[in-house]
Amino acid sequence: SQQGEEDPQALSIQEGENATMNCSYKTSINNLQWYRQNSGRGLVHLILIRSNEREKHSGRLRVTLDTSKKSSSLLITASRAADTASYFCATDDKIIFGKGTRLHILP
Amino acid sequence: EAGVVQSPRYKIIEKKQPVAFWCNPISGHNTLYWYRQNLGQGPELLIRYENEEAVDDSQLPKDRFSAERLKGVDSTLKIQPAELGDSAVYLCASSLVRGESYEQYFGPGTRLTVT
């Protein structure tokens, strides 16, 4: 079974709006990672958050981690057309990706 | 810095034929991964190498899939014989594992079509 499950499966928002997607996992982890995949650049690592961290920022990205709920969220602020992609979370336990959230930014 | 290189980028074969994929990881990366990604799904780990040792191959269908990583650098993934259900994108990734943190760098993938 998948270790990471992203929610929602698909999300469409207007350019400039914020996008939030969530990830739930099942077992204890050392870290959780978010990746982006689009047709142009393939799978790219976005950000890693360690189990002892609660929040991390990188540019327009904000990641939170709640180990008690075994969940993480990825917030993309001021979305751009280039953010259109599928987003996956991955945990270190068995490096199992979820099915992803397909984000579509509308012009 | 050169990224992860995979070849071929596309492959079309008939079922029951053999096929091989090649991966050259980023220089210095000690860990190499092979994933399979079906349409609309996330990558599924097939095998993970730490240097030359396969440390996790629990998801590799060993009856038809094999992999090797000679000298702890390049790797080859083979399918023999291929089945229709093997059609997917095969991704190779590498990372430099330091303690508990490892960022994976992915190659462009090989899109396999089995007819």
Side-chain angles (χ1 to χ4, degrees):
Chain A
S1 61
Q2 298 284 359
Q3 165 74 317
E5 294 290 344
E6 295 86 355
D7 171 63
Q9 291 189 12
L11 180 62
S12 293
I13 60 172
Q14 294 293 139
E15 190 169 10
E17 293 181 341
N18 297 340
T20 299
M21 55 203 83
N22 305 295
C23 168
S24 59
Y25 56 92
K26 298 178 180 177
T27 63
S28 297
I29 61 173
N30 292 311
N31 66 68
L32 184 142
Q33 305 167 53
W34 283 92
Y35 288 79
R36 178 179 61 205
Q37 185 176 39
N38 58 31
S39 58
R41 293 195 61 194
L43 253 167
V44 176
H45 180 269
L46 294 177
I47 194 166
L48 179 151
I49 186 167
R50 295 182 174 83
S51 60
N52 62 354
E53 298 176 310
R54 292 295 168 261
E55 186 172 313
K56 197 166 185 178
H57 297 255
S58 177
R60 295 184 296 113
L61 305 179
R62 172 177 166 253
V63 171
T64 63
L65 179 64
D66 187 335
T67 54
S68 66
K69 296 181 179 179
K70 292 185 169 55
S71 67
S72 173
S73 67
L74 171 67
L75 168 68
I76 304 173
T77 60
S79 63
R80 305 169 180 170
D83 296 328
T84 294
S86 290
Y87 291 81
F88 299 94
C89 64
T91 63
D92 63 275
D93 181 43
K94 280 188 68 66
I95 319 172
I96 298 176
F97 288 76
K99 295 182 179 179
T101 292
R102 295 184 303 280
L103 176 64
H104 185 57
I105 307 300
L106 304 170
Chain B
E1 177 183 271
V4 176
V5 179
Q6 291 188 247
S7 68
R9 292 293 308 277
Y10 304 91
K11 189 73 176 179
I12 301 174
I13 61 171
E14 294 183 347
K15 62 182 181 182
K16 301 185 181 180
Q17 295 300 307
V19 64
F21 314 123
W22 176 79
C23 174
N24 178 239
I26 293 174
S27 177
H29 280 192
N30 57 350
T31 304
L32 183 146
Y33 315 78
W34 281 105
Y35 291 88
R36 176 172 58 191
Q37 186 174 26
N38 292 306
L39 190 64
Q41 303 293 315
E44 172 194 4
L45 180 68
L46 294 175
I47 189 168
R48 175 166 65 103
Y49 283 94
E50 288 184 7
N51 299 306
E52 296 179 0
E53 182 183 359
V55 297
D56 186 352
D57 63 355
S58 57
Q59 301 300 314
L60 189 71
K62 298 182 182 62
D63 57 335
R64 297 183 300 107
F65 286 65
S66 64
E68 60 182 8
R69 190 183 185 197
L70 298 177
K71 300 181 180 179
V73 182
D74 294 1
S75 178
T76 303
L77 178 69
K78 297 178 181 178
I79 308 175
Q80 182 170 13
E83 297 179 352
L84 294 176
D86 296 330
S87 294
V89 176
Y90 290 82
L91 297 166
C92 178
S94 70
S95 66
L96 179 59
V97 177
R98 294 185 182 127
E100 300 172 348
S101 298
Y102 36 87
E103 172 184 340
Q104 296 182 51
Y105 294 82
F106 283 82
T110 296
R111 183 177 298 276
L112 174 67
T113 301
V114 182
T115 63

